[in-house]
Amino acid sequence: MRARTIAAVVVGLGGVAAGLVAVVSSMLETSSMVVVGPASAAPILLCVTVVGVLVCLLARRWWIAAASAVLLGLAAVVVVPLYVPGAAGVADAAPGESLRVMQANVMLGEADPQALVASVRERDIDVLTVQELTEDSVGAFDAAGLSAALPYRFVAPYQGGAGAAIYSRFPLSNGRELPGYLLASVTADLDVGAAQPLRVYAVHPVPPWPTPTPVWASELDMLGEELAQASPGAVIIGGDFNSTHAHKRFRDLLTGGYVDAADAVGAGVIPTYPMDKWYPPVVGIDHVVVRDAQVRSLEPIDIVGSDHRGLVATVDVP
């Protein structure tokens, strides 16, 4: 076998192995980092599979190309809906209020206050969900004008960056911190003049590493229980979920009418982390999720001084 053919076989088999790991890890619901870690990198692993297919087709290594194609077909069950608007089956909401929602992890309160407030103003943000809020950053954001732009709030700041908050242009009520989480997650009712309040969440389950992976799994399960018990009506969740669409536990949250905004508009995989490296973000762990609402648009934005990108969604609520 010629050296070029051997190289094609090696690349092709490597692509098969990468694809197999991506598919299996994406389908399993487990609390083992051995599985959860590769699932985080599933899109990257599938890119390796695509390269392997192309190389094997050129080298006429048909059986390896066929095996790779099967794996890509299986992966498409999870990945393709992200790129097809409405594939998640979200129904159109009745005509009502159109809200601009911004999700922002402010990296231990270190995000630039002036830049954050400028983004809120320039994009006409109505609701801002925040993670990693500190007591000092609350004051810094207010001094930069956040309290004037979004005068209503429910905040749970903690030193060390374990806090969370909801800021709003509209009145908030019934604010509470969700119990049992290592990092704060909060919720409140938003009064937009509708027949019933809009429920808003700012959530932050722990990462699967270096936190013990079973704790990550437990917090996502608790979040699923919380969302299942939410009162009828529209719900908007902005969060650093520390999980991607390739994690089955995240996809399990998308039941009972809940839809990832990326699914709703066909935005595809939006990498949001990390933003503080020499290379671009590689995983999409920040999400906007809705229920009984229609997502009209979704775009990533820079959060200056943070290691996360933010998200801005236009959401219609009845």
Side-chain angles (χ1 to χ4, degrees), residues 68-121:
S68 300
V70 170
L71 290 170
L72 291 173
L74 292 173
V77 174
V78 172
V79 175
V80 168
L82 283 168
Y83 294 88
V84 181
V90 61
D92 287 341
E97 189 74 30
S98 183
L99 301 177
R100 295 276 286 170
V101 180
M102 179 173 167
Q103 152 60 24
N105 179 312
V106 296
M107 197 182 78
L108 309 179
E110 295 298 320
D112 183 275
Q114 299 291 341
L116 182 72
V117 174
S119 292
V120 168
R121 288 175 171 158

Side-chain angles (χ1 to χ4, degrees), residues 113-171:
Q114 299 291 341
L116 182 72
V117 174
S119 292
V120 168
R121 288 175 171 158
E122 291 167 3
R123 293 173 170 82
D124 294 321
I125 299 301
D126 298 298
V127 180
L128 171 67
T129 56
V130 178
Q131 296 80 40
E132 299 197 14
L133 191 72
T134 65
E135 294 176 356
D136 291 342
S137 61
V138 171
F141 294 149
D142 282 347
L146 186 58
S147 58
L150 300 174
Y152 302 97
R153 68 183 63 192
F154 180 76
V155 299
Y158 292 102
Q159 292 304 324
I166 299 168
Y167 292 87
S168 171
R169 194 186 306 274
F170 299 93

Side-chain angles (χ1 to χ4, degrees), residues 230-242:
S231 57
V235 178
I236 296 175
I237 308 125
D240 171 3
F241 286 75
N242 274 311

Side-chain angles (χ1 to χ4, degrees), residues 34-61:
V34 174
V35 175
V36 173
S40 303
I44 299 172
L45 294 172
L46 292 172
C47 288
V48 177
T49 307
V50 171
V51 171
V53 168
L54 296 175
V55 170
C56 286
L57 288 175
L58 290 173
R60 299 184 179 182
R61 302 295 97 182

Side-chain angles (χ1 to χ4, degrees), residues 236-303:
I236 296 175
I237 308 125
D240 171 3
F241 286 75
N242 274 311
S243 55
T244 75
H245 207 277
H247 289 120
K248 188 175 185 300
R249 268 193 166 79
F250 176 75
R251 299 197 305 276
D252 286 346
L253 297 176
L254 306 179
T255 57
Y258 288 98
V259 179
D260 188 346
D263 284 349
V265 300
V269 176
I270 301 178
T272 59
Y273 180 85
M275 274 294 290
D276 58 345
K277 308 298 182 184
W278 60 268
Y279 52 86
V282 294
V283 292
I285 58 177
D286 298 85
H287 305 272
V288 174
V289 174
V290 304
R291 187 189 74 184
D292 293 340
Q294 178 69 20
V295 182
R296 299 298 180 186
S297 66
L298 179 70
E299 62 173 322
I301 63 168
D302 289 340
I303 305 295

